[in-house]
Amino acid sequence: MLSEHGGHDDGCRPVRPHRCCDSTVQHAPTGSAALEEPGTHTSFGALKHIEAGVLRVGYAEAGPANGPAVILLHGWPYDIYSYVDVAPVLAAAGYRVLVPYLRGYGTTHFLSDATPRNGQQAVLAVDILALMEALHIDKAILAGYDWGARTANIIAALWPERCKALVAVSGYLIGSRESNQRPLPPQAELQWWYQFYFATERGQAGYAQYRRDFAKLIWQLASPQWAFDAATFERSAAAFDNPDHVRIVIHNYRWRLGLADGEPQYDALEQRLAQGPVIAVPTLTLEGDANGAPHPDASAYAKKFSGPYAHRVITGGIGHNLPQEAPQAFAQAVLEVDGY
């Protein structure tokens, strides 16, 4: 787990110390809570729903309603259960913890059939801002991995007044379609095989038909040492039955390659994101030592964080779905960054 003042123990190896004074670090609001082993919890209880922007968002909530807000954002092909063991720890520490299904997952649905099933990067961030507005949350700690880390990155970069602090697995994931046009070495391209598969009609049909098998394969490739059981997988796989799931996923990956258009109202945001904006809010980035998914090296993005910052490598065979595989370390990262 992470130590309280930027140090390390129990398998966490610091790569770069954070730029803040250790003597000022305090873990608000009530100090560290007891951390639990992966798999301790199997449910969030009854989910909540609220209309926010173009969506009716399904989300889990834990902790006191008047506590400082933490929003935990999942990736693909995963869901809110990535945080089933993280949320109780943060709730016990006095935080109001919100874990929403992204568009196209679980119980989050579009309010209108006419709304484009758009998966471009900017729109996912706009969704979370709309959720914050609907819940009357002015500012929150944002934490995520995969699509969730990118979404949190975008809010922290473009709307820093809404982000108190940031925890991001694999660091800085904001991209641009222009940079995605440049070819990578063959070995690197191989890691993105599914992106090219999704570029075809066969790939869309295959994902629609075999989405559970597809997701399980990605889980195994991205976290080769994670021994998840059938029940754990099935809890999350239900989220992929969302009627818009396939369209959102396919559009997300095709948009990245310039094979599908986004919505014009987000063009200005995408232009700003394409410039690679620096993130100034307090940030802690994490990486698992056994992440089998494509991800940048920490040295490639360290300069993208100009405020108080630290990076941690979580050891012990931890893969891409870091919060579910190492909930202790992820929860402690949220507690730590809140004191930067």
Side-chain angles (χ1 to χ4, degrees):
M1 68 181 69
L2 299 173
S3 68
E4 287 202 334
H5 297 298
H8 59 100
D9 55 17
D10 295 343
C12 291
R13 174 162 49 89
V15 173
R16 184 181 180 207
H18 61 70
R19 297 187 290 267
C20 67
C21 176
D22 284 349
S23 64
T24 65
V25 176
Q26 307 236 342
H27 292 299
T30 59
S32 296
L35 300 177
E36 300 173 4
E37 292 299 316
T40 300
H41 299 89
T42 59
S43 73
F44 289 100
L47 297 184
K48 298 182 177 182
H49 297 84
I50 192 169
E51 291 189 4
V54 300
L55 301 171
R56 184 172 185 264
V57 179
Y59 65 99
E61 182 169 357
N66 62 348
V70 177
I71 301 177
L72 306 175
L73 301 171
H74 69 81
W76 171 86
Y78 306 92
D79 81 328
I80 64 174
Y81 282 96
S82 290
Y83 298 104
V84 72
D85 289 316
V86 174
V89 175
L90 298 177
Y95 291 89
R96 181 187 184 188
V97 185
L98 302 155
V99 194
Y101 280 113
L102 300 182
R103 58 169 55 195
Y105 294 81
T107 61
T108 291
H109 296 281
F110 287 89
L111 297 175
S112 171
D113 291 338
T115 303
R117 274 33 179 183
N118 177 1
Q120 72 183 99
Q121 63 178 352
V123 78
L124 297 171
V126 170
D127 286 346
I128 300 306
L129 290 172
L131 176 63
M132 293 175 68
E133 290 291 335
L135 293 172
H136 306 291
I137 296 172
D138 293 328
K139 201 168 194 175
I141 298 172
L142 299 174
Y145 68 100
D146 197 83
W147 288 22
R150 181 177 296 108
T151 301
N153 283 175
I154 291 170
I155 296 173
L158 300 188
W159 296 277
E161 71 279 3
R162 308 304 299 273
C163 181
K164 183 180 181 184
L166 172 67
V167 175
V169 177
S170 299
Y172 189 91
L173 298 178
I174 297 172
S176 73
R177 296 207 294 176
E178 181 180 357
S179 64
N180 285 340
Q181 299 305 307
R182 294 193 288 270
L184 301 172
Q187 189 66 31
E189 295 282 21
L190 178 62
Q191 291 186 297
W192 289 105
W193 64 271
Y194 53 87
Q195 185 169 248
F196 304 115
Y197 182 63
F198 289 160
T200 69
E201 293 307 302
R202 178 187 178 96
Q204 179 169 343
Y207 187 61
Q209 182 174 353
Y210 298 110
R211 68 189 78 176
R212 272 177 161 75
D213 295 323
F214 201 103
K216 185 176 289 185
L217 176 61
I218 295 295
W219 282 31
Q220 293 165 342
L221 293 174
S223 299
Q225 298 184 45
W226 182 28
F228 60 88
D229 59 22
T232 298
F233 176 77
E234 287 301 324
R235 275 193 294 273
S236 290
F240 314 144
D241 293 333
N242 183 294
D244 298 305
H245 178 74
V246 173
R247 284 183 287 177
I248 294 297
V249 170
I250 297 299
H251 185 268
N252 177 283
Y253 287 101
R254 289 183 180 179
W255 177 87
R256 296 191 202 190
L257 293 179
L259 301 176
D261 293 330
E263 294 179 77
Q265 65 262 40
Y266 303 116
D267 287 351
L269 292 178
E270 294 296 353
Q271 290 169 8
R272 293 173 64 189
L273 294 172
Q275 296 172 8
V278 170
I279 293 173
V281 306
T283 299
L284 204 162
T285 59
L286 302 173
E287 191 60 80
D289 66 335
N291 185 359
H295 63 277
D297 185 81
S299 62
Y301 56 71
K303 292 183 179 179
K304 287 295 186 180
F305 301 100
S306 64
Y309 172 71
H311 179 75
R312 304 278 186 267
V313 173
I314 312 303
T315 61
I318 304 304
H320 189 60
N321 185 7
L322 194 151
Q324 194 161 3
E325 298 174 61
Q328 303 97 324
F330 195 90
Q332 191 65 28
V334 173
L335 294 172
E336 179 179 334
V337 80
D338 194 18
Y340 281 12

